[in-house]
Amino acid sequence: MDLRWIASRSASCHHALEMLAADRAAPDSDLAGALRSIAEQVDRQCHKFAIPAERLYQHLVPLSAGIESRVELATIVLRKVVDPAAVAGWAGQFATLLTEAKAAYTALRPKLLDELQMRAGPLREQWEARGPGLLRGIARRTSDELIVERADVLLVEPVAGGAGAAHLLYNAVRIEAVLVNPHASLPEVVRLAWMLGQLNCDLPAFSESFPPGKARRLAGLAMLPPTLAAAADVELVGNDSPELLAAAIEHWRLGDATLAEPLASWWTTYTASRPAWHVALAALDQMVPEPE
């Protein structure tokens, strides 16, 4: 897999907005003081238009890494998440909020890009050493078609003690550039492999029977057992035990740790029969409860 590592101030800024709105960032940080009001205003607009905030940021974060104009960015993002009639009424206000957020964030983090490149050094070294083996292990247990040829890794400021997301529509992942693993049993390089492994799960052959939100959730759950097993192969984790699976579900925010039991059962059935991946995803959909 050809990875393009991108340290992005804009992606970091919008990642921080999402973490603040979700109460995952430190409440007493300087970012909270500068950006919380903006994050809350964006969140209120999402509620007004009945849009899950996560859906908005699934587009905003990756697109912002390549679009400098706040007006253009706001318009493109809104066209993807609201009815066309609502875009004109919200785009101007949204662009203003993004401009204010970027200005405040830049003032607080003038040397961010250099810091992100430095912070990402250990993760890149670990990926170069273990990443190919992780991907081979994932592909061997699932399908070669699930491994993308190239992807962007968006490096963002750590504001939630280690966090990340896969952006399937953009062949990109974002990951906080932490200096140490937040959870000793789950190295960040394994989180990176898990997110990268999800990127092709939105291909029509795999996901056409699911709405986008459900497809993303199923991709995250389904790629967890093969990723942990591959990590055990290259000695990044001690073993792919049920306890580790539960810890990954909890720490990587896939839901309640009790999901580990049906997910492990699904994986056992899958490895015994090796059905087509879209069939396996449909079975998983029947076995795990909908999030509350």
Side-chain angles (χ1 to χ4, degrees), residues 4-12 65 112-117 120 153-156:
R4 183 171 64 153
W5 300 78
I6 302 172
S8 172
R9 190 189 310 277
S10 292
S12 286
L112 177 75
L113 299 185
D114 290 339
E115 292 174 0
L116 287 177
Q117 293 287 7
V153 178
L154 306 178
L155 302 166
V156 296

Side-chain angles (χ1 to χ4, degrees), residues 86-100:
V87 173
W90 186 12
Q93 181 184 7
F94 190 35
T96 298
L97 290 174
L98 296 182
T99 299
E100 292 174 356

